Amino acid sequence: MSVKIISVAKALPKYTRNTSEIIPFLQLWLEGQEERFKRKVIKIFENAGVDRRYSIMDADEVFNNTSFEEKNEIYERESIILAESCLKKSLSKSLLKPTDIDFLITVSCTGIMIPSLDAYLINRLGMKQDVVRLPVTEMGCAAGVSGIIYAKNFLKANPGKRAAVVAVESPTATFQIEDFSMVNIVSAAIFGDGAASVILSSCPEDSGPTILDEAMYHFYDAEQMMGFKLKNSGLQMVLDKSVPETISNHFPAIVHPFLERNGIKIEDVDHLIFHPGGKKIVQTVEELFGSLGKNIDDTKDVLKMYGNMSSATVLYVLERFMERDIKAGEKGLMLSFGPGFSAQRVLLEW
């Protein structure tokens, strides 16, 4: 019995600006700061590899000193809207009804809400009353792939069932208005908001790439590298500058044993479906694979067009591959990184 990914769909918030349109808001925010520092911040935004981003708040709201309570209320309201939109789209793509879903996983780390997103989706879409719920929080950028792993294991144990993974993130709601640290600035430069939904199935009649294998890889003693600190002003980003180098150092252990246990090498992988964590991480990964004739052009394009949307971003990359006419037998490797520090991997075959 195989588990397949049968559809992927995204949803974007209503507010969007390109980077050049954000610079004037940055300049207002930076008033009173030293001129050299101002120029450095603007350069960070201009060179982040992000041309456009989407947000649940307009730019003037992002740079306004709203409270954690106010920002989280916007996060709750808009997350429900985005989650419903992308789940409906993914169901439509796979010609399914909401009642066809047996396992519902919702993923988010950029706000706090109880009940979680899945409860709202069940009511809004009229899903079955015995649908199994799993809200996944606090796993950051890795959670989109984590959700796929959890869904796959549920479906493997339950033939003839279907699962939905819905990832919704709004990193702009975590921007710290009074924090002029490089971490706050760099995260603001690379992150954007977005949502995506993936439908998986263990029904023999459904078609799509098969999940051959999945695994998690945990970096020891690296809890401090990435995450959020809960402050009175909201969720404050933690992002260590050593992340790209750490990923590079661990890459052989992350990739090669995982592929070897499936009887293949990286040369046998046709498609790289990687999470675009940021420009430096993308460059690090590109250097590792460029010599092998592999590319991560889709990863770079998603970063450029939307920014890093935390857990949802790799699903945007996956959607691009799902919309192509890929030959039977070709393989794809999904990979994302997140707090912990950890790497999540999924091996696909079309």
Side-chain angles (χ1 to χ4, degrees):
M1 189 275 300
S2 63
V3 175
K4 301 168 185 174
I5 295 176
I6 61 175
S7 71
V8 183
K10 63 178 176 289
L12 291 162
K14 57 187 174 182
Y15 298 110
T16 180
R17 291 179 186 265
N18 60 41
T19 297
S20 63
E21 292 173 316
I22 293 171
I23 299 302
F25 292 93
L26 267 180
Q27 292 169 329
L28 286 172
W29 177 62
L30 291 166
E31 278 187 1
Q33 300 294 312
E34 195 264 332
E35 287 299 320
R36 185 179 176 185
F37 178 73
K38 290 181 184 179
R39 292 194 296 270
K40 182 178 181 179
V41 171
I42 291 170
K43 278 291 183 186
I44 289 172
F45 270 76
E46 290 174 338
N47 297 327
V50 179
D51 286 357
R52 176 171 290 276
R53 73 202 72 218
Y54 293 75
S55 175
I56 62 170
M57 297 180 282
D58 204 359
D60 56 351
E61 290 182 284
V62 176
F63 289 97
N64 188 21
N65 196 7
T66 52
S67 68
F68 183 23
E69 180 180 354
E70 290 170 317
K71 288 186 288 188
N72 202 69
E73 284 177 354
I74 298 171
Y75 161 82
E76 287 186 33
R77 182 188 71 228
E78 299 300 322
S79 291
I80 294 167
I81 294 169
L82 289 170
E84 182 179 3
S85 175
C86 65
L87 179 52
K88 281 182 174 178
K89 288 178 184 176
S90 61
L91 287 168
S92 178
K93 282 185 176 182
S94 48
L95 304 178
L96 297 175
K97 304 183 299 295
T99 49
D100 292 323
I101 299 301
D102 304 285
F103 187 31
L104 177 60
I105 300 174
T106 52
V107 172
S108 191
C109 71
T110 44
I112 299 169
M113 58 189 295
I114 300 173
S116 49
L117 273 171
D118 40 339
Y120 293 94
L121 291 172
I122 290 167
N123 286 291
R124 284 181 169 236
L125 275 68
M127 303 177 79
K128 59 178 64 174
Q129 285 189 290
D130 62 350
V131 64
V132 179
R133 295 168 52 195
L134 176 63
V136 177
T137 64
E138 300 165 2
M139 293 191 73
C141 297
V145 176
S146 301
I148 289 175
I149 292 173
Y150 302 144
K152 185 260 184 179
N153 286 322
F154 172 87
L155 293 171
K156 187 177 180 180
N158 294 275
K161 302 290 185 179
R162 298 184 181 96
V165 178
V166 182
V168 183
E169 302 287 9
S170 58
T172 54
T174 71
F175 179 71
Q176 301 289 301
I177 194 73
E178 295 181 358
D179 180 1
F180 293 93
S181 69
M182 278 296 110
V183 171
N184 189 47
I185 290 162
V186 169
S187 62
I190 64 175
F191 281 101
D193 301 348
S197 173
V198 182
I199 308 294
L200 301 93
S201 175
S202 57
C203 297
E205 67 268 26
D206 292 335
S207 61
T210 298
I211 298 178
L212 296 181
D213 197 8
E214 84 292 325
M216 297 186 182
Y217 177 95
H218 302 287
F219 297 59
Y220 288 128
D221 303 317
E223 305 96 327
Q224 75 289 345
M225 285 180 58
M226 184 184 291
F228 284 118
K229 287 183 180 178
L230 182 56
K231 301 285 188 178
N232 289 334
S233 56
L235 296 167
Q236 183 185 57
M237 177 67 71
V238 175
L239 186 62
D240 196 287
K241 63 182 181 181
S242 68
V243 167
E245 182 183 358
T246 303
I247 290 173
S248 179
N249 291 341
H250 283 258
F251 228 92
I254 294 169
V255 173
H256 301 311
F258 175 65
L259 295 178
E260 285 170 6
R261 79 185 196 185
N262 287 282
I264 63 172
K265 298 179 179 179
I266 188 62
E267 291 82 359
D268 303 314
V269 175
D270 304 285
H271 309 290
L272 303 179
I273 309 163
F274 288 3
H275 169 73
K279 186 177 179 180
K280 286 187 177 179
I281 294 176
V282 167
Q283 289 174 338
T284 298
V285 174
E286 199 166 31
E287 289 169 4
L288 290 165
F289 287 102
S291 61
L292 300 172
K294 309 292 180 183
N295 73 75
I296 52 168
D297 292 345
D298 289 283
T299 292
K300 291 191 294 184
D301 285 347
V302 166
L303 182 66
K304 183 178 180 180
M305 296 166 64
Y306 309 105
N308 180 351
M309 299 163 287
S310 191
S311 65
T313 327
V314 72
L315 306 183
Y316 279 55
V317 182
L318 175 62
E319 183 189 40
R320 294 164 72 97
F321 287 93
M322 293 288 290
E323 291 176 345
R324 292 180 187 149
D325 185 19
I326 294 178
K327 295 178 182 178
E330 291 190 349
K331 295 179 175 62
L333 176 64
M334 286 188 73
L335 178 65
S336 64
F337 301 91
F341 192 70
S342 67
Q344 325 288 43
R345 299 147 293 172
V346 170
L347 182 63
L348 299 172
E349 182 176 67
W350 270 262

